[in-house]
Amino acid sequence: MISDVFRRRLWAPVGVLTSLAYLVHQRRVALAEMQGAHGQHPVDRSLLELKMVQVVFRHGARSPLKPLPQEEQQVEWNIQLLEVPPQTQFDCTVTDLTGGPKPYSPLDSQYRKTVLKGGMFAGQLTKVGMWQMFALGERLKKNYVEDIPFLSPTFNPQEVFVRSTNIYRNLESTRCLLAGLFPHQKEGPIIIHTDEASSEVLYPNFHNCCSLRKRIRGRRQAASLQPGISEDLKKVKEGLGIASSDEVDFIVLLDNMAAEQAHGLLSFPTLARFTQLIEQRAVDTVLYMQSDDRESLQLVVGPFLHLLENNLLRAVDPAIPAGKTRKLYLYAVHDTTLMPLLMALGIFDHKWPPFAVDVTLELYQHQESKEWFVQLYYRGEEQVPRGCPDRLCPLDKFLNTMSVYTLNPEKYHTLCSQAQVMNSEMQSDRRI
């Protein structure tokens, strides 16, 4: 059981998976009683006490990252979309993970080089996205402040830990979520933690991980040449009047389409005709880029899984006083984080994660048996993770599922540096 978990290194695999299984779990609201750890005895939910919640969420609606090529057909991203609704204003301070000054953001500097028609920069959170995040915060408030008295009605740093990628749209999305979650908060500041781009693990760090960069290099372009994807891309480009020579793939098309739809804008009248095809092929492109082997998924999301796993282990560790662990962990991430996370948990539905979507992980303890259970939600709906007998999953089984793809920092850096070491050795051989 759980005591055995502490005696082994959880990043080690518990079984051999020859391929990733993508399972669709569309379950309705759970019954009052759910199956227990071995599928034999029902668990009385009235005896379950909520101990911890982890929420992993994507930022709200934003402008596209790369505009489509025909300037005359581009929509106008008017700077009025950047107006901040008064309800979403919230006093926050951004620091690094140790409480120091906010790190420099090279990605934000890159985005500001792309000025869209209408005056906005690429990738900017809009007031539509701000309201989406505020609504997510209100839902969390209803679930964990109003329906059950789990969290204090005002922000308590002893209860809540907040971390975001160091990208402005995510920091702003986090602020809006906190405004919805803690509307009675009148004093601050509240700390949002972030990390240097070189060591960030809340998204696939292609720049810092040599092995990951080597695996992905060229695969996005190669995906557009794969049978099926290639023919469909040609058909969509012709339908939209985009030249075959323009560097536009399904990911760029989906990014623009999703951004426009979220704001009621339309660049191409025929775009709606290809909505489902564009999303399907964008997902296929990402799956091809990341391939289907275990190590690729580990390098993409393994370090972040380690964070989530470590939070669970600290919460159930009897050696750690209850007051020394947080009740709520908030992580502001990206679609490129959520897709591999859903794959690792076995709940990916082959649909692109929309703006402001969340994965919520609840940890419960049974007050009589003292057993621990996990409840997983995606888009507000209960899920059955891979390896779990039901929606209420025994913690040890859930940890086994996570451990297949989890990477602790030491193992992650070892795997990331392997390609770099091999390249150095090859260069040395050439010199000899």
Side-chain angles (χ1 to χ4, degrees), residues 7-202:
R7 292 198 292 266
R8 59 191 174 89
R9 299 164 67 181
L10 284 179
W11 53 262
V14 296
V16 178
L17 298 180
T18 57
S19 64
L20 296 178
Y22 302 117
L23 305 177
V24 179
H25 298 287
Q26 305 258 336
R27 300 293 184 95
R28 298 188 179 274
V29 178
L31 299 175
E33 292 185 344
M34 307 181 81
Q35 287 300 107
H38 302 290
Q40 298 174 352
H41 305 291
V43 176
D44 186 350
R45 288 191 66 96
S46 67
L47 295 176
L48 292 177
E49 181 181 358
L50 183 62
K51 292 292 188 177
M52 187 182 71
V53 179
Q54 300 187 78
V55 183
V56 183
F57 58 92
R58 188 186 179 197
H59 55 77
R62 54 156 172 75
S63 57
L65 301 180
K66 179 182 178 181
L68 294 175
Q70 298 95 320
E71 186 173 353
E72 65 279 2
Q73 290 189 283
Q74 293 174 3
V75 301
E76 287 202 20
W77 292 96
N78 195 296
I79 57 175
Q80 291 180 348
L81 285 170
L82 301 178
E83 295 175 355
V84 178
Q87 295 91 329
T88 68
Q89 293 181 348
F90 205 68
D91 185 16
C92 297
T93 299
V94 181
T95 74
D96 65 14
L97 296 182
T98 63
K102 175 184 177 297
Y104 167 72
S105 176
L107 288 173
D108 276 334
S109 297
Q110 190 67 30
Y111 291 136
R112 292 179 69 88
K113 295 179 181 179
T114 302
V115 180
L116 304 174
K117 185 178 180 180
M120 287 180 59
F121 295 120
Q124 281 192 286
L125 185 74
T126 67
K127 59 184 177 183
V128 173
M130 296 177 199
W131 278 121
Q132 289 176 329
M133 300 311 303
F134 184 81
L136 176 56
E138 286 189 312
R139 174 157 66 83
L140 296 179
K141 174 169 66 74
K142 182 179 186 304
N143 290 345
Y144 304 116
V145 177
E146 298 174 351
D147 290 354
I148 57 172
F150 180 64
L151 296 174
S152 302
T154 57
F155 183 89
N156 182 348
Q158 301 303 314
E159 291 184 346
V160 183
F161 177 82
V162 186
R163 178 171 173 179
S164 169
T165 59
N166 190 23
I167 298 176
Y168 192 66
R169 62 176 174 272
N170 270 35
L171 297 171
E172 288 290 278
S173 291
T174 305
R175 171 184 60 78
C176 296
L177 183 151
L178 290 170
L181 176 55
F182 299 109
H184 303 299
Q185 185 78 22
K186 300 300 180 183
E187 298 180 359
I190 293 172
I191 305 299
I192 300 176
H193 300 84
T194 191
D195 199 5
E196 299 277 357
S198 60
S199 52
E200 184 61 83
V201 298
L202 298 194

Side-chain angles (χ1 to χ4, degrees), residues 214 422-432:
K214 183 178 180 181
M422 291 177 61
N423 288 339
S424 298
E425 291 176 349
M426 291 175 63
Q427 292 175 1
S428 297
D429 291 341
R430 291 192 189 101
R431 285 194 295 268
I432 294 174

Side-chain angles (χ1 to χ4, degrees), residues 87-387:
Q87 295 91 329
T88 68
Q89 293 181 348
F90 205 68
D91 185 16
C92 297
T93 299
V94 181
T95 74
D96 65 14
L97 296 182
T98 63
K102 175 184 177 297
Y104 167 72
S105 176
L107 288 173
D108 276 334
S109 297
Q110 190 67 30
Y111 291 136
R112 292 179 69 88
K113 295 179 181 179
T114 302
V115 180
L116 304 174
K117 185 178 180 180
M120 287 180 59
F121 295 120
Q124 281 192 286
L125 185 74
T126 67
K127 59 184 177 183
V128 173
M130 296 177 199
W131 278 121
Q132 289 176 329
M133 300 311 303
F134 184 81
L136 176 56
E138 286 189 312
R139 174 157 66 83
L140 296 179
K141 174 169 66 74
K142 182 179 186 304
N143 290 345
Y144 304 116
V145 177
E146 298 174 351
D147 290 354
I148 57 172
F150 180 64
L151 296 174
S152 302
T154 57
F155 183 89
N156 182 348
Q158 301 303 314
E159 291 184 346
V160 183
F161 177 82
V162 186
R163 178 171 173 179
S164 169
T165 59
N166 190 23
I167 298 176
Y168 192 66
R169 62 176 174 272
N170 270 35
L171 297 171
E172 288 290 278
S173 291
T174 305
R175 171 184 60 78
C176 296
L177 183 151
L178 290 170
L181 176 55
F182 299 109
H184 303 299
Q185 185 78 22
K186 300 300 180 183
E187 298 180 359
I190 293 172
I191 305 299
I192 300 176
H193 300 84
T194 191
D195 199 5
E196 299 277 357
S198 60
S199 52
E200 184 61 83
V201 298
L202 298 194
Y203 52 66
N205 202 324
F206 301 105
H207 296 286
N208 190 48
C209 183
C210 188
S211 294
L212 181 58
R213 185 168 63 253
K214 183 178 180 181
R215 286 169 179 264
I216 300 300
R217 183 185 299 142
R219 291 189 68 85
R220 178 168 175 174
Q221 183 177 1
S224 297
L225 303 177
Q226 297 306 301
I229 297 180
S230 175
E231 290 81 1
D232 286 341
L233 183 59
K234 180 181 178 181
K235 178 175 66 176
V236 172
K237 279 187 169 183
E238 289 177 350
L240 299 179
I242 298 176
S244 59
S245 58
D246 286 330
E247 294 184 357
V248 174
D249 60 13
F250 279 112
I251 295 178
V252 173
L253 288 168
L254 178 65
D255 187 66
N256 279 268
M257 183 180 72
E260 291 176 11
Q261 289 178 346
H263 298 88
L265 302 173
L266 184 64
S267 57
F268 293 88
T270 57
L271 191 60
R273 181 159 56 96
F274 298 110
T275 297
Q276 292 184 346
L277 178 61
I278 289 173
E279 180 181 5
Q280 173 195 333
R281 287 310 193 185
V283 171
D284 291 341
T285 300
V286 170
L287 295 179
Y288 179 85
M289 288 169 57
Q290 295 183 356
S291 69
D292 63 353
D293 64 291
R294 171 173 162 260
E295 191 168 292
S296 291
L297 202 55
Q298 283 182 313
L299 291 172
V300 167
V301 78
F304 180 50
L305 282 172
H306 177 75
L307 286 181
L308 302 178
E309 175 191 78
N310 190 57
N311 294 338
L312 290 170
L313 293 177
R314 284 180 56 83
V316 303
D317 187 350
I320 299 179
K324 296 297 183 180
T325 58
R326 302 313 211 291
K327 288 185 174 182
L328 175 65
Y329 291 85
L330 296 172
Y331 293 103
V333 301
H334 302 265
D335 48 3
T336 54
T337 318
L338 285 167
M339 290 178 72
L341 175 63
L342 296 171
M343 293 176 199
L345 295 174
I347 61 171
F348 184 49
D349 58 4
H350 278 257
K351 295 181 180 179
W352 200 278
F355 295 125
V357 73
D358 69 289
V359 174
T360 297
L361 181 62
E362 298 176 341
L363 176 66
Y364 292 90
Q365 186 177 32
H366 195 282
Q367 294 308 289
E368 291 183 352
S369 68
K370 302 304 178 183
E371 290 181 290
W372 294 89
F373 296 91
V374 166
Q375 183 92 54
L376 183 66
Y377 296 86
Y378 177 54
R379 305 184 71 170
E381 297 185 0
E382 293 172 312
Q383 306 291 320
V384 181
R386 180 189 292 114

